């Protein structure tokens, strides 16, 4: 064995750039041989020897410093575990590519140990025999208590059902569960054993035999895995084309090879339909990470991953850093989603970070989408990513028939309603057949704002450059900083007393529908109706139970939900998201519309999608209606190339924030000059951000473009050095490489 080392390099937990380098410490004898690379240690720091925490990044025989000046490590942080070597490499990559400090990057990669209170899970346990349950279920059926019936039938098949499955998969409310318990059919058991939650399979689906297109993909990627080729793959396939089935097979393959799998999905698409399929296949070798978990719970999952307790982790962006000993496969579903980009420093993109992790681990990267990002699709066309297509719905069923309605023509022929004649006709038909309808309004932003009928000014937040929103009663709330005030009696600008709230688009739609179809039940899903915990699931479950015939909502309703009885989807104003000042507005519009159109007709009944628009010729709209991704890609790529936007070029956004508008704008101008004189060619700005002030901080943005990320890395490092030497009190600067939102 090696002689124990005497010194350790330690990265200290601070977010100050100047301290972002390893500091040398002596390893006291009692800790000799115990402290390793990756250990979390307590150290004295600075003149006052204040105790700090940090990670050991290297062990050394000599310190290279005067021995007198070197301080001793105090101890190991209790309950901590070591960071894996590879975690340091990933952290270093994040810092180098996206900026920030190494300690900020380490916080992303290594979950902090938090006091994990023992986890409790609740399991509903069957108490009656099947015959009794069956008669209760029949009774519920007669009384049309559909949720109750579902739960009772599930109990017949499963002795134990975890409560999370009851709410999420069976979509049964807690009132119903309580009434079932009261009837003596089952009881609730509380278990603190998280590791083996004892999930009895919720009817594991009969094994599906792959169709030819799926088989080709699975075979080809499996062959690469066998040969030790860790490739990058894109599966381009419409919703329902069988991508998830392919992911499952590939995950099985990786697990059989003794390797682990990270399955990434955007938070909003974390549906229990998907989870259920993974659970059914892999049982308790699967675990899930999500944003509602406490740090302790997340830490727990990482420990399980490290110790080999699980093979597969499912979760959003952050699941990427699950410390498996031998990750063999990373799957990124809906790879085009903007939520894969982090919004805090380091502002990494999960796709890029996944590529790096795959390279480090020798793992394969499989991405999937119905509407791939331009980044990935162009890489596929260049041959850097292997492209597979799934063109048909695996389970049968056709795509919705999509029609575009020109709202300008409706107007000129005297129809001022928000529903075109065609949409109205199709709604009448669907409703009269007892089928369901979804109405989609992709309106973002300032619904609910209060403005003056005389001078036209909106009531703005005193701290932000955004209008306040009116809430129940007469309270005004700022959605950016939380400022609350009372609605004033008169306009603050002109003293007029005619102040009126602009209704949320979805609320107006609902009112119109109630007038048009009295007696038809509706549900509304938007920011206002889903703010309460669990509201989102409740609305979806009552719609899927058929408790309402029409669901009205914002983009929340278009993602990943499967309602077989929906035969019509109406997109009320498709161009609302086109006019936003963002180079990705066409891409977003296309993705939303293509996805929305994919909602209808997933069951056996044929479906219609009606796209109402004032710009029937915009390619984002025509291509979405035709479900023609390739055509959209070509149009959009031509635009990105001519206008110079990613992925045609790379782009670095530098955001400067400060409470003193003059000082920030001056610093921004200096910085721009410094960057230009340093040789950067394409420099834009500084300009005020889209929202120029948030929480009293003014924002300015500089954009630098370059064909190569290397040049942008140099610019960023140069800017960081420059700012390091300046007194920028009260201001701060953030870097964003290839931002997904124009800021
Ligand atoms: P995607 O992930 O592309 O949306 P899924 O894998 O969820 O597609 O498949 C859509 C539906 O088709 C699911 O209900 C699935 O069980 C079914 N399915 C998938 N592959 C097949 C197949 N080879 N044969 C029959 N049904 C399939
Ligand atoms: Zn006014
Ligand atoms: Zn505000």
């Amino acid at each position: 064995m090696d002689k124990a080392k005497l010194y350790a390099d330690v990265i200290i937990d601070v977010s100050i750039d100047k301290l972002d380098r390893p500091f040398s410490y002596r390893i006291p004898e009692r800790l000799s041989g115990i402290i390793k690379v990756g250990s979390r240690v307590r150290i004295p720091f600075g003149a006052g020897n204040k105790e700090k925490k940090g990670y050991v990044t290297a062990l050394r025989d000599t310190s290279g410093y005067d021995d007198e000046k070197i301080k001793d490590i105090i101890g190991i942080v209790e309950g901590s575990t070591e960071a894996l070597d590879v975690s340091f490499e990933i952290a270093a990559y994040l810092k180098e590519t996206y900026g920030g400090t190494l300690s900020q990057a380490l916080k992303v990669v290594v979950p902090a140990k938090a006091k994990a209170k023992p986890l409790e899970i609740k399991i509903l346990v069957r108490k009656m025999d099947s015959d009794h349950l069956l008669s209760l279920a029949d009774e519920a059926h007669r009384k049309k208590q559909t949720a109750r019936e579902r739960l009772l039938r599930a109990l017949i098949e499963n002795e134990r059902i975890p409560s999370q499955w009851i709410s999420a998969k069976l979509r049964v409310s807690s009132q119903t569960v309580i009434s079932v318990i009261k009837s003596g059919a089952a009881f609730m058991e509380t278990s603190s054993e998280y590791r083996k939650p004892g999930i009895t399979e919720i009817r594991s689906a009969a094994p599906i035999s792959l169709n030819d297109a799926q088989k080709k993909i699975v075979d080809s990627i499996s062959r690469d895995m066998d040969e030790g080729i860790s490739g990058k793959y894109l599966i381009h396939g419409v919703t329902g084309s069988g991508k998830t089935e392919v992911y499952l097979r590939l995950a099985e393959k990786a697990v059989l090879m003794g390797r682990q799998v990270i399955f990434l999905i955007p938070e909003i698409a974390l549906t229990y339909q998907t989870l259920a399929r993974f659970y059914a296949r892999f049982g308790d070798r699967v675990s899930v990470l999500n944003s509602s978990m406490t740090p302790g719970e997340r830490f727990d999952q990482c420990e399980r991953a490290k110790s080999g307790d699980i093979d597969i982790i499912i979760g959003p962006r952050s699941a990427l850093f699950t410390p498996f000993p031998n990750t063999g496969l990373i799957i990124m579903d809906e790879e085009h989603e903007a939520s894969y980009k982090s919004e805090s420093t380091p502002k990494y993109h999960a796709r890029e970070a996944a590529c790096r992790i795959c390279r480090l681990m020798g793992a394969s990267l499989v991405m999937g989408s119905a509407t791939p990002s331009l980044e990935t699709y162009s890489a596929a066309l260049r041959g850097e990513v292997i492209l597979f297509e799934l063109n048909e719905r695996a389970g049968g069923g056709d795509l919705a028939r999509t029609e575009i309605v020109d709202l300008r023509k409706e107007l000129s022929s005297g129809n001022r309603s928000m529903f075109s004649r065609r949409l109205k006709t199709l709604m009448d038909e669907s409703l009269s057949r007892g089928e369901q309808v979804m109405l989609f309004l992709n309106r973002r932003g300032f619904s609910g704002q209060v403005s003056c009928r005389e001078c036209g000014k909106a009531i703005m937040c005193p701290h932000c450059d955004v209008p306040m929103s009116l809430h129940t009663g007469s309270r005004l709330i700022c959605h950016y900083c939380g400022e609350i005030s009372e609605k004033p009696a008169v306009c603050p600008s002109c003293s007029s007393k005619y102040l009126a709230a602009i209704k949320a688009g979805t609320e107006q739609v609902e009112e119109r529908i109630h007038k048009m179809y009295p007696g038809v039940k509706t549900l509304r899903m938007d920011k206002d109706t889903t703010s309460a915990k669990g509201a989102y699931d409740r609305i979806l479950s009552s719609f899927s139970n058929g408790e309402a015939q029409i669901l009205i909502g914002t983009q929340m309703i278009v993602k990943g939900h499967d309602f077989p009885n929906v035969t019509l989807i109406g997109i009320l104003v498709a161009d609302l998201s086109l006019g936003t000042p963002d180079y990705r507005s066409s891409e977003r519009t296309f993705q939303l519309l293509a996805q929305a159109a994919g909602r209808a007709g997933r069951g056996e009944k044929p479906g219609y999608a009606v796209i109402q628009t004032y710009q029937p010729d915009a390619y984002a709209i025509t291509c979405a209606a035709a479900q023609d991704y390739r055509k959209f890609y070509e149009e959009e790529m031509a635009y990105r190339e001519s206008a110079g936007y990613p992925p045609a070029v790379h782009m670095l956004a530098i955001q400067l924030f400060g409470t003193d508008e003059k000082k920030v704008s001056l610093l921004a101008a200096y910085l721009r000059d410094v960057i230009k004189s340093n040789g950067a060619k394409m420099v834009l700005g500084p300009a005020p951000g889209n929202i120029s002030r948030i929480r009293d901080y003014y924002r300015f943005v500089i954009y630098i473009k370059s064909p190569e990320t290397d040049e942008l890395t140099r610019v960023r490092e140069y800017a960081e050095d420059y700012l390091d030497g300046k007194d920028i009190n009260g201001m701060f600067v953030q870097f964003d490489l290839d931002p997904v939102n124009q800021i």
Side-chain angles (χ1 to χ4, degrees):
M1 242 190 81
D2 287 349
K3 197 168 136 309
K5 305 275 193 217
L6 299 174
Y7 301 94
D9 287 353
V10 177
I11 282 278
I12 297 165
D13 288 5
V14 281
S15 59
I16 306 164
D17 239 358
K18 285 181 186 128
L19 304 178
D20 196 36
R21 58 176 180 84
F23 286 81
S24 200
Y25 283 88
R26 187 185 300 107
I27 301 173
E29 205 160 331
R30 72 196 148 83
L31 296 174
S32 160
I34 297 172
I35 284 180
K36 302 194 181 86
V37 170
S39 292
R40 188 118 174 94
V41 291
R42 296 183 288 130
I43 57 262
F45 188 73
N49 282 337
K50 205 166 170 313
E51 187 178 312
K52 297 256 181 202
K53 289 175 187 158
Y55 281 104
V56 173
T57 57
L59 297 177
R60 304 186 186 283
D61 288 321
T62 54
S63 74
Y65 291 93
D66 192 347
D67 221 39
E68 309 251 292
K69 291 197 182 135
I70 296 230
K71 299 172 190 174
D72 279 12
I73 290 177
I74 302 170
I76 291 196
V77 176
E78 216 171 307
S80 68
T81 48
E82 284 146 39
L84 299 175
D85 275 1
V86 57
S87 300
F88 285 108
E89 281 183 63
I90 297 164
Y93 157 78
L94 291 180
K95 173 199 150 67
E96 274 156 31
T97 313
Y98 296 99
T101 66
L102 192 55
S103 105
Q104 282 172 322
L106 274 167
K107 287 211 178 82
V108 171
V109 173
V110 188
K113 168 76 178 173
K115 286 260 180 305
K117 57 173 185 320
L119 275 158
E120 284 194 343
I121 69 158
K122 290 191 167 149
I123 298 171
L124 189 69
V125 185
R126 178 166 73 202
K127 230 167 87 180
M128 277 180 182
D129 61 34
S130 322
D131 289 347
H132 280 96
L133 284 170
L134 209 55
S135 70
L136 282 181
D138 289 342
E139 184 192 323
H141 181 77
R142 276 195 305 279
K143 293 187 181 163
K144 295 214 159 53
Q145 299 166 326
T146 53
R148 184 184 171 89
E149 183 190 349
R150 246 191 339 274
L151 180 58
L152 289 165
R153 297 212 188 274
L155 271 173
I156 296 171
E157 281 172 36
N158 302 278
E159 199 187 325
R160 299 158 60 80
I161 309 179
S163 69
Q164 73 189 85
W165 288 82
I166 296 174
S167 55
K169 171 92 201 312
L170 298 172
R171 298 201 187 282
V172 170
S173 70
S174 52
Q175 290 104 300
T176 308
V177 176
I178 291 168
S179 89
V180 165
I181 292 173
K182 280 198 181 135
S183 73
F187 64 93
M188 194 60 92
E189 182 185 280
T190 304
S191 152
S192 61
E193 178 72 17
Y194 191 71
R195 285 169 177 247
K196 300 275 183 305
I199 289 173
T200 7
E201 232 119 273
I202 308 280
R203 194 187 309 187
S204 62
I208 288 175
S209 54
L210 296 181
N211 61 36
D212 288 347
Q214 288 170 315
K215 201 163 174 315
K216 197 182 127 214
I217 303 175
V218 172
D219 287 350
S220 158
I221 299 177
S222 301
R223 207 176 319 118
D224 284 356
M225 286 163 92
D226 278 333
E227 288 172 11
I229 301 169
S230 38
K232 289 189 254 178
Y233 312 88
L234 169 65
I235 305 175
H236 175 212
V238 295
T239 326
S241 60
K243 296 185 294 296
T244 307
E245 197 54 42
V246 170
Y247 303 150
L248 281 163
R249 299 296 172 105
L250 293 172
E252 266 172 350
K253 167 81 185 167
V255 170
L256 276 178
M257 292 173 76
R259 304 189 67 177
Q260 299 84 40
V261 180
I262 297 172
F263 181 55
L264 299 181
I265 29 181
E267 183 87 35
I268 189 128
L270 219 159
T271 65
Y272 287 83
Q273 286 153 347
T274 307
L275 294 189
R277 288 161 74 181
F278 273 83
Y279 276 117
R281 216 55 78 87
F282 300 100
D284 57 11
R285 303 292 296 168
V286 179
S287 191
V288 179
L289 278 183
N290 64 49
S291 61
S292 63
M293 282 178 155
T294 64
E297 289 169 304
R298 304 176 70 85
F299 183 83
D300 242 35
Q301 300 313 308
C302 286
E303 288 302 288
R304 295 181 65 196
K306 233 191 261 185
S307 66
D309 204 21
I310 51 174
D311 295 318
I312 298 180
I313 192 93
I314 303 179
R317 195 177 65 221
S318 58
L320 190 54
F321 305 108
T322 306
F324 281 125
N326 190 11
T327 304
L329 175 65
I330 299 179
I331 300 167
M332 254 181 107
D333 195 24
E334 313 273 4
E335 67 81 33
H336 62 276
E337 278 288 331
S339 66
Y340 281 128
K341 179 93 182 283
S342 167
E343 279 172 17
S344 50
T345 305
K347 299 188 175 187
Y348 68 92
H349 198 295
R351 191 193 308 118
E352 304 304 318
C355 283
R356 174 55 67 109
I357 293 170
C358 283
R359 203 167 345 132
L360 283 171
M361 308 291 282
S364 309
L365 176 61
V366 174
M367 297 171 277
S369 173
T371 54
S373 66
L374 269 70
E375 280 77 5
T376 305
Y377 202 78
S378 58
L381 295 185
R382 284 194 304 272
E384 292 160 21
V385 167
I386 295 170
L387 177 64
F388 295 106
E389 307 262 358
L390 286 176
N391 295 320
E392 260 140 56
R393 291 220 160 141
D398 286 325
L399 285 170
R401 294 209 359 218
T402 307
E403 298 176 18
I404 298 178
V405 173
D406 186 346
L407 285 175
R408 294 169 309 182
K409 285 194 188 141
E410 288 295 311
L411 210 58
S412 65
S413 59
N415 177 13
R416 297 176 157 273
S417 130
M418 54 178 93
F419 308 101
S420 62
R421 289 158 297 176
R422 179 64 179 151
L423 179 57
K424 172 85 171 51
T425 308
L426 288 170
M427 273 201 287
D428 291 346
E429 286 174 16
S430 282
L431 294 175
S432 69
R433 285 194 301 261
E435 295 158 2
Q436 289 177 302
V437 173
M438 283 164 90
L439 296 175
F440 167 60
L441 191 68
N442 54 341
R443 166 168 233 150
R444 304 147 90 102
F446 307 137
S447 61
Q449 76 183 50
V450 174
S451 42
C452 169
R453 290 269 170 84
E454 294 203 2
C455 74
K457 288 206 174 105
I459 297 182
M460 306 292 283
C461 171
H463 309 290
C464 309
D465 175 33
V466 295
M468 306 277 283
S469 308
L470 187 66
H471 281 247
T472 41
S474 57
R475 267 196 325 168
L476 293 172
I477 299 179
C478 168
H479 285 299
Y480 280 81
C481 72
E483 169 82 9
I484 297 177
S485 62
E486 280 298 305
K487 183 179 154 212
V490 296
C491 169
S493 313
C494 75
S495 304
S496 152
K497 48 183 198 252
Y498 298 107
L499 286 172
I502 295 174
K503 282 221 176 89
T506 43
E507 212 177 326
Q508 271 177 322
V509 175
E510 193 173 36
E511 277 180 20
R512 294 298 319 163
I513 288 286
H514 286 162
K515 288 213 181 93
M516 263 159 60
Y517 301 109
V520 168
K521 288 230 175 74
T522 61
L523 283 162
R524 182 157 63 89
M525 187 147 158
D526 52 31
K527 255 203 187 129
D528 293 335
T529 62
T530 53
S531 56
K533 197 165 182 254
Y536 182 80
D537 274 342
R538 252 197 320 278
I539 295 173
L540 288 179
S541 67
S542 45
F543 189 59
S544 110
N545 291 345
E547 286 159 33
Q549 246 186 312
I550 304 181
L551 175 63
I552 300 156
T554 54
Q555 51 249 55
M556 289 179 191
I557 65 174
V558 302
K559 306 246 161 125
H561 313 293
D562 218 339
F563 302 112
N565 199 31
V566 170
T567 52
L568 172 64
I569 176 144
I571 296 145
L572 296 179
V573 194
D575 17 349
L576 276 182
S577 61
L578 266 184
T580 55
D582 188 329
Y583 72 91
R584 286 181 190 260
S585 65
S586 279
E587 187 178 6
R588 294 241 162 84
T589 303
F590 174 80
Q591 286 163 351
L592 271 172
L593 296 183
Q595 238 169 358
R599 290 297 104 208
R602 295 203 67 181
E604 269 133 38
K605 299 166 197 151
Y608 281 94
V610 174
I611 300 179
Q612 306 193 136
T613 176
Y614 291 100
Q615 300 172 62
D617 302 323
Y619 61 82
I621 290 171
T622 54
C623 294
Q627 296 275 347
D628 189 345
Y629 174 80
R630 188 57 185 258
K631 176 105 190 297
F632 171 77
Y633 170 82
E634 272 154 18
E635 296 270 2
E636 181 67 10
M637 200 63 195
Y639 156 68
R640 303 279 175 96
E641 261 155 21
S642 67
Y645 283 118
V649 297
H650 290 285
M651 191 156 95
L652 176 68
I654 306 182
Q655 285 191 82
L656 299 97
F657 302 80
T659 46
D660 183 332
E661 189 176 6
K662 266 227 179 74
K663 268 168 110 180
V664 211
S665 90
L666 218 60
L667 179 68
Y670 273 134
L671 190 59
R672 181 226 20 232
D673 292 344
V674 164
I675 289 168
K676 270 194 158 163
S677 64
N678 196 242
K681 280 176 216 73
M682 290 184 276
V683 183
L684 304 169
N690 271 346
I691 294 171
S692 64
R693 188 172 54 123
I694 291 182
R695 295 175 195 265
D696 289 324
Y697 275 84
Y698 292 88
R699 304 199 303 159
F700 286 85
V701 190
I702 304 171
Y703 287 104
I704 304 118
K705 295 176 181 179
S706 166
E708 301 298 332
T709 48
D710 290 356
E711 187 193 338
L712 297 178
T713 303
R714 271 199 305 281
V715 167
R716 197 202 67 237
E717 283 170 352
Y718 190 81
E720 282 175 336
D721 283 350
Y722 171 80
L723 294 167
D724 232 15
K726 278 190 82 80
D727 176 21
I728 58 166
N729 248 341
M731 293 184 268
F732 62 97
V733 180
Q734 286 187 349
F735 298 91
D736 195 346
L737 179 65
D738 290 336
V740 293
N741 293 306
Q742 213 156 343
I743 28 197

